[in-house]
Amino acid sequence: MALEYKKSLEAIDPNVEYLMTLYLSPELTPEEIRKASKAGIVGVKSYPRGVTTNSDGGIESYEVYYPIFEAMEQENMVLNLHGEIPSDPNTNTCVLNAEPQFLPHLKNLHARFPKLRIVLEHATTRAAVDAVKACGDTVGCTITAHHLELTVDDWAGQGFNFCKPVAKYPDDRQALRDVIREGHPRFFLGSDSAPHPSSNKSTSSPSQPCAAGVYTSPILLPLVADLLESFGALDKLESFVSTNGRQFYGLPSSPTSVRLTRRVIQVAEIFELDSQSVVPFRAGKSLNWELSESE
């Protein structure tokens, strides 16, 4: 299925290099891991049950998957972790502390499989940054553009800024900014862009919350340049959006490049296609950079 999906994506844009992953589930076996590796699949994605969109079939315990991780370690594949545990009043767990409470799992997995490449995806807390830095070179971490801007106040009551994991406190945001400005080689961009229809973002009910996700794809590179410049890290732009991630995944340097030009642009209020519409991040607001052309 992953290879079929890759073919459909390549039919849309053959110039993109697609890195395909499998979904960690009870049906996955070490034999399938080895077959996937030979077919060019680069990793496996893990979602704890119920923590984000379409994760009702997510995992509840990692120990049962140890044979999978051992096979992945042998095949030099990447384990991509959504680093949260489900909310539970019995453990005082909610969306604000679900990520820190997940971090012991990261530590244990790294200790048990030290050669397994692991990516903690879309980190949102100082605790996550510190945990990844404390691990060895086989543990990396992605940071989204929107988590470099948002805090709790920005999504509380504003559905279009609501995503999972949720943006946290100002000090957490500062930790994300600091590790980029530091130029740490194991932290890199992961967009986690989600084009939910605007009707699913702008409405909720007692039985159906608004969709979790922020749509940044149309403005991603100008947005990241704008953000990095705002906290004095513009010189880290190339390493954060390209070099660090490619090195972690063992990919060669890209033969192509893109150019950003300093120019004030206004983000579209809405994108429409047929009967659907999507509202982008920073809708109607300005950015100080524009994506010009590829080289």
Side-chain angles (χ1 to χ4, degrees):
M1 184 179 295
L3 295 178
E4 292 176 0
Y5 183 41
K6 183 179 182 180
K7 287 182 181 180
S8 68
L9 293 173
E10 289 173 336
I12 297 172
D13 190 345
N15 297 314
V16 174
E17 183 179 9
Y18 298 97
L19 304 182
M20 308 307 292
T21 60
L22 302 179
Y23 183 76
L24 186 62
S25 67
E27 292 75 27
L28 199 58
T29 65
E31 291 72 24
E32 286 299 314
I33 288 294
R34 296 186 182 94
K35 290 179 183 178
S37 177
K38 288 180 173 62
I41 304 297
V42 301
V44 175
K45 179 66 182 283
S46 165
Y47 299 91
R49 188 183 301 275
V51 298
T52 190
T53 307
N54 296 328
S55 65
D56 291 341
I59 70 157
E60 294 181 336
S61 171
Y62 282 110
E63 286 76 7
V64 69
Y65 293 104
Y66 278 6
I68 301 295
F69 300 152
E70 184 176 10
M72 291 177 62
E73 191 175 44
Q74 293 169 353
E75 296 293 332
N76 196 30
M77 295 177 74
V78 177
L79 175 62
N80 302 97
L81 297 176
H82 181 117
E84 294 184 289
I85 64 173
S87 295
D88 184 350
N90 294 317
T91 59
N92 196 37
T93 305
C94 67
V95 294
L96 290 175
N97 65 359
E99 182 175 279
Q101 295 206 35
F102 173 86
L103 297 175
H105 293 292
L106 172 66
K107 181 180 178 180
N108 292 338
L109 286 172
H110 179 50
R112 178 65 176 78
F113 303 97
K115 295 182 180 180
L116 175 63
R117 287 184 294 159
I118 300 173
V119 176
L120 181 67
E121 298 200 325
H122 40 58
T124 62
T125 60
R126 180 175 294 277
V129 170
D130 291 343
V132 171
K133 292 173 75 172
C135 291
D137 291 342
T138 54
V139 177
C141 180
T142 63
I143 298 173
T144 76
H146 48 281
H147 285 123
L148 293 172
E149 178 166 329
L150 302 175
T151 64
V152 174
D153 288 347
D154 296 304
W155 59 260
Q158 173 48 274
F160 286 98
N161 289 336
F162 177 64
C163 58
K164 287 188 175 180
V166 299
K168 305 301 193 303
Y169 300 105
D171 180 69
D172 294 307
R173 180 182 62 184
Q174 189 61 47
L176 303 179
R177 293 176 172 185
D178 287 346
V179 78
I180 295 171
R181 188 165 52 226
E182 172 189 330
H184 198 293
R186 289 188 282 116
F187 290 78
F188 41 93
L189 176 66
S191 72
D192 201 34
S193 180
H196 292 292
S198 55
S199 58
N200 293 350
K201 292 292 292 178
S202 60
T203 59
S204 63
S205 68
S207 61
Q208 183 65 47
C210 74
V214 172
Y215 185 44
T216 57
S217 289
I219 58 166
L220 185 60
L221 288 181
L223 173 62
V224 174
D226 200 66
L227 287 164
L228 266 58
E229 184 176 38
S230 73
F231 56 85
L234 188 59
D235 62 319
K236 304 301 192 301
L237 179 64
E238 183 177 5
S239 59
F240 178 62
V241 306
S242 178
T243 309
N244 291 354
R246 296 188 73 88
Q247 288 180 346
F248 188 87
Y249 274 83
L251 300 174
S253 299
S254 175
T256 61
S257 61
V258 296
R259 182 184 298 276
L260 288 163
T261 303
R262 187 184 295 278
R263 178 173 174 265
V264 177
I265 61 172
Q266 187 175 39
V267 179
E269 293 277 359
I270 196 168
F271 291 96
E272 296 179 303
L273 178 65
D274 299 328
S275 60
Q276 296 287 348
S277 65
V278 180
V279 174
F281 189 61
R282 280 203 188 179
K285 298 181 180 179
S286 63
L287 293 171
N288 293 319
W289 292 89
E290 180 182 39
L291 190 61
S292 44
E293 75 275 354
S294 299
E295 296 181 349

